[in-house]
Amino acid sequence: MHSKVVYVSGTFDLFHSNHLKMINYGKGLGDTLIVGVSTDELVCSYKKPPAVPFEERIAIVEGLKAPDVVIPQHTLKHDSTVQNLNIDIFVIGDDWVGKYDYLKEFGVKVFYFPYGKGVSSTNLKKKIHDDYTKLIESSDKHPIPEPK
């Protein structure tokens, strides 16, 4: 019987519960779980830099019990990754729906993990920014007392 190799792909910035759910979901799909963590250079090639540096993001994922192997991810094109690592199943967040359907040509099952509404790194960054802006505004806006 062939053991199933699962690859979970992500940036894993501001690690949160949906990241953990996706990794654990991937673990449940097969026998060996490989998690690819996008490098800072890769992320910056298509969006703003991550809040948490690559070295810290990969260390967090390595600290989890589910992954068997954690590797740097240098590209969004995964055909050579799935071939070189004998990947049977590919998992990524549902914000990428359709982008990795081409992997099916290699016999790979592709799952787009549904984040749904709620926690995301983008939402967390926005909340932190908005809360910080309110804090600054409230601390900077005050009456100027008359000198005595």
Side-chain angles (χ1 to χ4, degrees):
M1 183 169 141
H2 170 73
S3 64
K4 298 286 184 198
V5 179
V6 179
Y7 186 86
V8 174
S9 171
T11 300
F12 305 108
D13 194 20
L14 298 178
F15 197 88
H16 53 74
S17 61
N18 277 337
H19 290 142
L20 185 59
K21 288 175 189 172
M22 184 170 74
I23 289 170
N24 288 337
Y25 173 76
K27 181 67 172 179
L29 294 174
D31 305 298
T32 302
L33 176 62
I34 301 171
V35 178
V37 179
S38 298
T39 63
D40 292 342
E41 294 80 13
L42 173 58
V43 176
C44 290
S45 73
Y46 65 93
K47 65 179 183 177
K48 293 184 179 174
V52 178
F54 171 75
E55 292 77 15
E56 292 182 36
R57 292 183 288 110
I58 199 165
I60 290 166
V61 175
E62 287 172 335
L64 302 174
K65 68 179 184 179
D68 295 296
V69 179
V70 180
I71 61 173
Q73 185 170 273
H74 299 282
T75 180
L76 295 176
K77 194 162 168 33
H78 292 292
D79 50 344
S80 61
T81 301
V82 300
Q83 291 174 322
N84 293 339
L85 298 175
N86 296 311
I87 304 299
D88 299 292
I89 299 167
F90 183 88
V91 180
I92 193 162
D94 66 356
D95 47 339
W96 293 87
V97 166
K99 298 285 186 186
Y100 291 101
D101 288 350
Y102 72 91
L103 295 176
K104 295 174 184 177
E105 296 171 18
F106 300 102
V108 175
K109 290 184 180 178
V110 179
F111 292 86
Y112 297 99
F113 186 77
Y115 272 173
K117 295 194 190 311
V119 182
S120 76
S121 296
T122 301
N123 291 345
L124 285 173
K125 288 175 189 176
K126 181 172 178 6
K127 181 175 178 5
I128 291 166
H129 174 269
D130 293 350
D131 289 352
Y132 182 73
T133 300
K134 288 177 191 171
L135 175 67
I136 294 300
E137 287 173 2
S138 67
S139 67
D140 286 349
K141 291 184 180 179
H142 52 80
I144 304 296
E146 292 295 324
K148 294 183 183 183

